Amino acid sequence: MVGIGFALAAIAARRWGASKSMPWLLVFAALTWTFGTMSDGLGRESGWWVPLAGFQMGYVVVVVVTVVGYPTGRVTSWPGRIAVAAAAFLYLSNIVVHLFFVDPAADRACLCAENPLALVSDVDLNYRVAWWPAQWHGLVAIVLLVTVAVRWIRGTQPWKSINLLMTVAVLGLAIAWLYLAITEFIGGSRPSPVLFYLVTLSHLAIAVIYAAGLFQLTQTRARVADVMIAARDGIDRTTWDRLTRQALDDRSAQVLWRSGSRGLVDADGAVTPRPASAFAVTSDREEVALIAHDPATAAKRDLLASLAESIRLTSENDRLAGELERSLAQVRESRQRLVGAADDTRRRIERDLHDGAQQLLLTAALSVENASRRAASSDDPELARMLATATEQLVLARRELRELARGITPAVLNHGGLDAALEELALRCPVPTSVTVVGDGRPSELAETTVYFSVAEGLTNIAKHSGATSASVEVQLGHPLHLTITDDGIGGATAAAGGGLAGLADRIEAVGGELTVWSPVGRGTIIRASVPSLEHEPA
């Protein structure tokens, strides 16, 4: 049963992520223990049993490694390394003793086969050497007891909770070994079979507890996976602390964040000194955080590394998302400034045309008209005709200049407001169009100009491409301002590059708005847009 227990523990170590050597060590323990249970029956058949008996106690070294490296199998502490080294030394000594100084055939009453490697065949020597296995078990027991006692005294509460069952099993085994060694040394009566059962059950318990510890470790890994899933959508620093404690099963664990010149800060932003036990979270070779933990948690190095990677990825995502958001904000502000500057330029050109060129043309037209009246009373009809023609051309030029200025910035928008300007657009559209403006207040100039030219572009597209018999424009004032343009045309409109709707979308998005187009074939078109309506235009 113990051999099977070690074999199953080897499978668990292979499957659940122990150190690379632990599966093979546990297989070695299973084989040597099993061979030891059958060795008595081989003693009378072959003298090679004696040298092999020196190897059969190799499971003791594996037990020590399993105990001091629980649960991962990695021996990192100096007491643990000393215990393993002592067990290995005593094990090698036991091999040498059995190889060259034990020959059961020296005792004629034994009827055992001769050890072919024995250097000395002496009955007294055999009796003196026979008690060596029990004594080295006792020495290993003493080393284990000291190691377990030191680790328990120095261990923190999390370490004690993790190692409680293993410590109890080791104490039972060490006490039994020590009792057997003392009994053999003083030459007392043969120990009770109960003691041998205690040794056997302690070995089996160590194998089972080791496998259970590895299984618990996999559950911790699952909690780390839960942390990564939770962190996918972004979590605050307080939540990081809570999830870290749950993942590591360590109530003292917390994440300390690097904060520039301030150093390390906790979740509340308080400056914290660097802890003695911590795992670094690095990004681009720079430390961005520390996972402070109990010293016992250091054995979960793979889990700490997984958790650190999760924190690093989340930090990187937050940093990149922040940079992207800032870049998008800068782009939006830049586009708004460009649109605002373009509107300012249109208004300035309109003002310059009105105050400059139009006034000059008006003055010139009046002068030519006065000259025409004088020429009519003279005897030069040709001059009168030429002046009359010049007057007509000046009036025509002034009318065209007025239309050009209206296209740059409609005067009705400045003086009559958005509803009046949209009504004028509807009257000029060849498709019958209704206009509805609801809500209180007046939008910003940028919002008004954007909606005006968007409606102008939309009605132009309806007139040219939709084949509609009617259209409607609805505006809901507020922040944001909502615009809906509907027609009953042939549908199938898309905001393809280079088209009118693409330009309309660019205009809306340039001021931070959104535009959607619903246009199934044969069912008309609905254009919806939302436009920020700020009290002041962006600088």
Side-chain angles (χ1 to χ4, degrees):
M1 289 180 63
V2 174
I4 293 174
F6 278 118
L8 293 177
I11 296 174
R14 177 78 174 179
R15 183 171 182 179
W16 292 332
S19 64
K20 294 181 179 179
S21 60
M22 277 307 297
W24 300 109
L25 288 175
L26 291 166
V27 168
F28 176 70
L31 293 175
T32 54
W33 176 278
T34 303
F35 177 78
T37 61
M38 299 185 299
S39 60
D40 288 340
L42 298 174
R44 299 179 183 274
E45 303 296 332
S46 171
W48 286 104
W49 160 76
V50 180
L52 291 176
F55 291 93
Q56 76 180 44
M57 295 182 184
Y59 65 85
V60 176
V61 180
V62 179
V63 167
V64 175
V65 174
T66 303
V67 170
V68 299
Y70 177 79
T72 62
R74 297 182 180 89
V75 182
T76 57
S77 65
W78 281 110
R81 291 175 180 175
I82 292 173
V84 173
F89 172 76
L90 294 172
Y91 173 55
L92 293 175
S93 302
N94 184 65
I95 293 175
V96 172
V97 168
H98 277 77
L99 280 176
F100 304 112
F101 299 103
V102 175
D103 185 8
D107 185 358
R108 301 304 177 184
C110 179
L111 299 178
C112 297
E114 181 181 354
N115 177 9
L117 299 179
L119 299 177
V120 179
S121 181
D122 182 86
V123 176
D124 293 336
L125 179 62
N126 283 336
Y127 282 124
R128 286 194 297 269
V129 171
W131 60 269
W132 171 245
Q135 302 311 308
W136 88 268
H137 271 85
L139 293 174
V140 173
I142 293 174
V143 173
L144 267 183
L145 285 173
V146 173
T147 303
V148 169
V150 170
R151 295 176 70 196
W152 190 265
I153 293 172
R154 293 182 176 180
T156 57
Q157 188 58 42
W159 185 92
K160 292 178 180 178
S161 63
I162 293 171
N163 289 269
L164 177 60
L165 291 178
M166 181 63 78
T167 301
V168 171
V170 171
L171 287 175
L173 178 62
I175 292 173
W177 276 351
L178 192 59
Y179 181 82
L180 288 173
I182 294 173
T183 302
E184 186 72 24
F185 182 76
I186 64 177
S189 60
R190 186 174 180 83
S192 168
V194 175
L195 196 61
F196 289 98
Y197 285 123
L198 176 61
V199 172
T200 301
L201 291 176
S202 296
H203 281 90
L204 183 60
I206 288 173
V208 172
I209 292 170
Y210 178 77
L214 286 177
F215 179 75
Q216 183 184 14
L217 212 55
T218 63
Q219 300 305 304
T220 306
R221 290 191 181 96
R223 290 196 293 270
V224 173
D226 293 340
V227 170
M228 298 185 70
I229 294 174
R232 182 177 54 190
D233 299 326
I235 53 180
D236 57 29
R237 293 184 174 183
T238 301
T239 307
W240 262 120
D241 281 352
R242 178 176 58 80
L243 293 176
T244 298
R245 296 186 186 104
Q246 292 176 356
L248 297 177
D249 196 17
D250 181 354
R251 295 182 180 179
S252 66
Q254 64 175 330
V255 182
L256 304 178
W257 305 87
R258 181 65 62 182
S259 179
S261 59
R262 297 182 63 199
L264 295 172
V265 298
D266 60 14
D268 298 325
V271 178
T272 304
R274 191 179 186 91
S277 298
F279 193 93
V281 181
T282 58
S283 177
D284 295 332
R285 298 182 180 180
E286 292 184 359
E287 186 179 87
V288 297
L290 284 178
I291 303 176
H293 57 79
D294 187 273
T297 310
K300 304 177 182 180
R301 188 170 185 83
D302 291 342
L303 300 179
L304 287 168
S306 299
L307 191 59
E309 182 65 11
S310 177
I311 295 174
R312 185 192 69 81
L313 289 174
T314 303
S315 299
E316 284 291 307
N317 289 340
D318 290 344
R319 181 181 63 82
L320 293 175
E323 292 180 356
L324 180 60
E325 183 61 32
R326 288 191 294 272
S327 298
L328 290 176
Q330 292 174 356
V331 170
R332 286 193 293 266
E333 292 175 0
S334 177
R335 294 175 71 179
Q336 289 179 353
R337 285 194 296 270
L338 290 174
V339 172
D343 288 339
D344 290 341
T345 301
R346 282 195 297 268
R347 285 191 290 270
R348 180 177 54 80
I349 293 174
E350 187 272 337
R351 186 170 55 253
D352 291 343
L353 289 175
H354 180 272
D355 297 339
Q358 288 193 61
Q359 293 301 324
L360 291 174
L361 286 175
L362 177 60
T363 301
L366 292 175
S367 299
V368 172
E369 187 176 353
N370 290 332
S372 297
R373 285 196 294 268
R374 288 190 179 185
S377 60
S378 67
D379 296 332
D380 191 348
E382 183 64 20
L383 177 60
R385 185 186 62 79
M386 293 175 62
L387 290 173
T389 301
T391 300
E392 293 177 358
Q393 290 176 346
L394 287 171
V395 172
L396 179 61
R398 186 164 175 264
R399 185 181 301 118
E400 291 181 354
L401 189 61
R402 187 185 301 113
E403 291 296 327
L404 177 62
R406 181 181 300 163
I408 295 174
T409 301
V412 66
L413 183 61
N414 294 331
H415 302 295
L418 182 60
D419 49 352
L422 297 182
E423 288 286 354
E424 183 178 330
L425 287 177
L427 292 174
R428 288 160 51 186
C429 180
V431 177
T433 303
S434 63
V435 175
T436 304
V437 179
V438 296
D440 298 327
R442 182 167 183 175
S444 64
E445 291 185 8
L446 180 59
E448 281 190 338
T449 305
T450 300
V451 171
Y452 176 84
F453 285 108
S454 297
V455 172
E457 182 69 28
L459 294 181
T460 300
N461 289 336
I462 291 173
K464 288 183 178 181
H465 309 296
S466 71
T469 59
S470 65
S472 66
V473 176
E474 298 178 5
V475 177
Q476 175 68 51
L477 299 179
H479 180 65
L481 181 151
H482 295 284
L483 167 66
T484 304
I485 303 174
T486 307
D487 68 66
D488 60 357
I490 60 176
T494 59
L501 289 181
L504 182 58
D506 289 342
R507 179 183 291 275
I508 295 294
E509 292 173 0
V511 296
E514 295 181 358
L515 180 135
T516 58
V517 178
W518 185 83
S519 184
V521 176
R523 299 178 61 184
T525 300
I526 299 176
I527 300 173
R528 291 188 174 92
S530 62
V531 179
S533 180
L534 305 175
E535 295 182 359
H536 302 286
E537 296 180 28

